[in-house]
């Protein structure tokens, strides 16, 4: 099936682009598998088989993609395997307060501020870091509203 071959090639090209953009290689390949699957959900084992990768590396990639809000675990009654899918609003979720990475950055900045003295240059940099992420979170609702209006 030439179509399947072309899809795999497109998925690998996308994964390469994502890797060049800073995503870890296995997370990029796993994300591409989610984007190109024709199934409602997919298991880590199915991804590992498809990518000819180890279960451990796929598991780590899934954890990473779940953490940033791109994929979600689904209930799978009767199955002993965890099922995952790309979130319906994955790209918007990536930039919301649901993104645990943004929240972790805010918490790390606040912890760093608490651990530094008023006149410490690190405190100024950490305060700027926290202010940026607070600003970003404050601006995102309007941006996402415009996105939903446009895409909806």
């Amino acid at each position: 099936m030439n179509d399947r071959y072309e899809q795999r090639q497109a998925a690998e090209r996308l994964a390469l682009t994502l890797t060049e953009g800073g995503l870890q290689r296995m997370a990029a390949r796993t994300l591409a598998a989610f984007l190109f699957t024709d199934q409602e959900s997919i298991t880590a084992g199915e991804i590992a088989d498809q990518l000819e990768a180890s279960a451990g590396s796929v598991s780590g990639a899934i954890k990473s993609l779940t953490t940033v809000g791109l994929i979600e675990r689904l209930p799978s009654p009767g199955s002993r395997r965890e099922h995952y899918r790309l979130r319906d609003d994955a790209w918007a979720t990536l930039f919301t307060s649901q993104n645990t990475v943004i929240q972790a950055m805010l918490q790390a900045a606040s912890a760093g501020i608490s651990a530094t003295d008023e006149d410490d240059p690190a405190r100024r940099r950490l305060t700027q870091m926290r202010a940026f992420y607070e600003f970003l979170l404050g601006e995102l609702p309007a941006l996402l509203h415009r996105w939903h209006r446009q895409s909806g």
Side-chain angles (χ1 to χ4, degrees):
M1 294 179 74
N2 195 26
D3 290 340
R4 200 65 169 141
Y5 173 78
E6 289 176 13
Q7 280 189 4
R8 284 190 177 151
Q9 293 292 66
E12 287 298 326
R13 282 192 302 274
L14 174 61
L16 181 59
T17 301
L18 293 168
T19 301
E20 290 169 353
L23 200 59
Q24 292 181 354
R25 184 170 190 269
M26 187 50 63
R29 293 185 73 215
T30 300
L31 179 56
F34 278 103
L35 287 164
F36 281 90
T37 188
D38 57 357
Q39 300 170 204
E40 175 66 25
S41 66
I42 191 168
T43 67
E46 290 168 332
I47 293 172
D49 290 344
Q50 178 184 335
L51 299 179
E52 298 177 355
S54 73
S57 63
V58 170
S59 176
I62 286 174
K63 182 178 180 188
S64 171
L65 295 170
T66 301
T67 298
V68 297
L70 288 173
I71 64 172
E72 62 187 351
R73 186 172 51 191
L74 297 175
S76 50
S79 176
R80 294 194 293 176
R81 293 184 176 206
E82 300 285 341
H83 289 253
Y84 301 90
R85 72 172 176 195
L86 187 69
R87 291 178 63 120
D88 288 336
D89 204 13
W91 309 111
T93 301
L94 185 60
F95 290 98
T96 68
S97 61
Q98 294 175 25
N99 183 322
T100 57
V101 173
I102 292 175
Q103 292 300 330
M105 295 297 278
L106 279 169
Q107 291 171 358
S110 293
I113 291 166
S114 296
T116 56
D117 293 329
E118 285 285 330
D119 58 346
D120 191 326
R123 184 181 205 133
R124 180 186 53 78
R125 291 187 294 267
L126 290 162
T127 300
Q128 187 177 35
M129 175 184 168
R130 184 179 63 187
F132 171 77
Y133 282 104
E134 287 172 342
F135 171 81
L136 183 63
L137 284 176
E139 292 295 312
L140 285 174
L143 181 65
L144 292 173
H145 176 72
R146 288 196 329 260
W147 162 251
H148 288 296
R149 209 174 50 227
Q150 174 187 324
S151 68

